[in-house]
Amino acid sequence: MTLDQATIDRLAAKPVPPQRLLIGGNWVEGEGEPVPVISPINGARLTELAGASAADVARACAVARAAFDDGRWAGLAPADRKRVLHRLADLIEAHAVELAVLGVRDNGTEISMALKAEPGSAAATFRYYAEAIDKVYGEVAPTAGNVLALIHREPVGVVGAIVPWNFPLMIGAWKVAPALAMGNSVVLKPAETASLTLLRLAELALEAGVPPGVFNVVTGQGRVTGEALALSPDVDVLVFTGSGATGRRLLEYSARSNLKRCYLELGGKSPNIVFADAPDLAAAAKAAAMAIFRNAGQVCVAGSRLLVEASVQEDFLEALAKATAALRVGNPLDLGTQVGAVNSLAQLEGNLRFVAESRAEGAEVVRGGARILTETGGYYMDPAIVARVAPSQRLFREEVFGPVLAVTAFETEAEALHLANATDYGLAAGVWTANLGRAHRMVRGIRAGVVHVNTYGGADVTVPLAGAKQSGNGADKSLHALEKYTDLKTAWIQL
Ligand code: NAD
């Protein structure tokens, strides 16, 4: 896939029509209030989303249930389901640039990253789970005597999926692809500030041959549309990526409704730990800047806490500030941009508050931290490095989800490990050291779903993303994710 600026500009000039809901293969109006879509690039209205009311959501869930029960998808031969999902991956690839540009206009991710991370990852994810369809099957248990015990894997039924606004296509695919691969029906609720690419994905899914009613999309506000989905008695399993606050609510809704299983992929405050013996401190400084500032810090696994060995702190901060100053912040549709827009005004204001508060508490703002490019009308922030952040400060413990890096120094390996684990989160981490034993000790000691060594942020559909502590439960990606979308059933047969 190649990108050129003229193609991007041409696609970005296209008006986006008002959007509708996809229920039972039909595009329908919502009964609720439409939701305006404001582009973070310039603060202008891009289009509007249909607002799905509780009744709309109930209809979508009932349709998904009926589509599951009549076997129009789950009953297909595995090879046929596989063909359809491969066709969907082909269509995503064929429309990759269009999808990437649409997504950037909606959520502000820099286009150079969006192309690979959004349609690129989504296509790879659909292919991966398409291939799994006829390779994952039941077991025969080693029981004693004249008994045959078979362990069947069955689809769970209706999967409700609620996803966030950062990387909606990629994260949506992480849920929808394995759910469909295992034969389930899906009702997807995208985020109000990033629904457009997922609506387009649903259109492509119909074109690929996913039967009507199997994949439904309801858009609208979280507290209306999302809440109705999470409360639905027709939803068997709820999969979610988003904030801890919403995750807590979903568990309550489950308890208040049908005890649906909830799998939560939540936030992070991930430590990126630089020891003085790192093989290349200059490279580590550049990587530390990208680990937090790409996509304007709106990455769940962002290395948002830099823990640096005190003996190299000053030199490292200097290199880091230099690498950060060199990043090009601006219009995310510009191919040269390295840090795009903040997703919404509310998010930008929250980011600025974190910086102001940490300054008032005595931390040192080494660089950045202000709103910039206001003349564009868009939501842009100068990446902030905040040093001497104490573990008691909110900036050390709470997720900003913006371009704000908290820096804290340590003296010993034991202190580094203690600081790394001193938050409620456990999503990701990075360790920079040339000492093999230390690298392995840190991997073992850090409570997180992924620990990167001498790099930061590498990922692939073949490996799980699974939060520890309050970063979540269950796993997205890899064959392990399939466990969320299947039930085990034992057949105990006397011979
Ligand atoms: P959010 O929790 O505000 O919203 C996520 C989704 O939940 C949206 O679709 C929203 O409409 C919906 N929602 C909100 N309130 C709801 C309610 N009461 N009932 C049902 N649905 C509701 O999160 P966000 O701001 O969109 O996303 C940012 C968060 O997502 C960050 O915390 C980030 O770390 C996290 N995230 C985690 C991962 C991961 O894999 N662990 C990946 C990306 C983002």
Side-chain angles (χ1 to χ4, degrees), residues 237-278:
V237 163
L238 188 67
V239 289
F240 171 74
T241 296
S243 65
T246 306
R248 282 188 157 75
R249 288 207 179 93
L250 300 185
L251 294 175
E252 282 178 32
Y253 300 150
S254 166
R256 272 166 47 197
S257 56
N258 61 343
L259 289 177
K260 55 181 71 64
R261 289 200 293 276
C262 295
Y263 295 102
L264 311 174
E265 300 288 331
L266 307 173
K269 191 77 197 183
S270 301
N272 187 19
I273 308 162
V274 177
F275 287 95
D277 66 4

Side-chain angles (χ1 to χ4, degrees), residues 163-165 189 192 223 226 241-243 246 253 266-267 300 399 401:
V163 297
W165 45 260
K189 151 73 178 90
E192 26 308 34
R223 287 308 288 264
T241 296
S243 65
T246 306
Y253 300 150
L266 307 173
C300 57
E399 182 181 50
F401 216 55

Side-chain angles (χ1 to χ4, degrees), residues 140-416:
V140 180
T143 45
N146 275 344
V147 166
L148 174 63
L150 305 175
I151 304 169
H152 295 289
R153 254 176 204 273
E154 297 183 339
V156 296
V158 176
V159 172
I162 302 180
V163 297
W165 45 260
N166 67 324
F167 307 110
L169 198 51
M170 174 178 82
I171 294 174
W174 289 351
K175 318 286 190 199
V176 175
L180 291 181
M182 292 297 101
N184 301 285
S185 293
V186 174
V187 180
L188 172 69
K189 151 73 178 90
E192 26 308 34
T193 56
S195 293
L196 300 178
T197 51
L198 288 169
L199 288 161
R200 184 75 179 109
L201 175 75
E203 199 170 30
L204 296 176
L206 281 176
E207 190 181 332
V210 175
V214 169
F215 179 22
N216 307 276
V217 184
V218 288
T219 52
Q221 300 291 351
R223 287 308 288 264
V224 180
T225 313
E227 181 171 318
L229 184 60
L231 282 168
S232 169
D234 268 322
V235 171
D236 298 291
V237 163
L238 188 67
V239 289
F240 171 74
T241 296
S243 65
T246 306
R248 282 188 157 75
R249 288 207 179 93
L250 300 185
L251 294 175
E252 282 178 32
Y253 300 150
S254 166
R256 272 166 47 197
S257 56
N258 61 343
L259 289 177
K260 55 181 71 64
R261 289 200 293 276
C262 295
Y263 295 102
L264 311 174
E265 300 288 331
L266 307 173
K269 191 77 197 183
S270 301
N272 187 19
I273 308 162
V274 177
F275 287 95
D277 66 4
D280 182 345
L281 281 168
K286 280 190 184 148
M290 289 312 280
I292 175 65
F293 297 131
R294 67 197 174 129
N295 199 24
Q298 302 160 127
V299 177
C300 57
V301 295
S304 52
R305 280 187 302 145
L306 176 71
L307 305 180
V308 57
E309 192 162 340
S311 60
V312 293
Q313 177 177 219
E314 292 316 314
D315 288 350
F316 196 83
L317 274 177
E318 200 181 312
L320 176 67
K322 211 168 141 202
T324 304
L327 294 174
R328 285 168 66 183
V329 185
N331 187 331
L333 286 168
D334 184 335
L335 270 173
T337 291
Q338 290 165 294
V339 178
V342 174
N343 180 254
S344 65
L345 190 56
Q347 182 68 39
L348 175 61
E349 287 168 351
N351 298 346
L352 298 173
R353 267 197 303 279
F354 264 102
V355 176
E357 186 185 299
S358 55
R359 184 186 275 126
E361 286 172 344
E364 176 198 346
V365 179
V366 174
R367 76 164 314 284
R371 182 175 181 178
I372 53 170
L373 303 171
T374 36
E375 68 283 5
T376 62
Y379 314 136
Y380 300 93
M381 182 169 169
D382 194 8
I385 300 173
V386 185
R388 293 169 236 294
V389 175
S392 57
Q393 282 181 242
R394 206 162 71 90
L395 186 59
F396 186 91
R397 288 176 287 110
E398 291 183 23
E399 182 181 50
V400 178
F401 216 55
V404 183
L405 177 64
V407 184
T408 305
F410 65 86
E411 299 281 352
T412 64
E413 184 181 314
E415 191 189 359

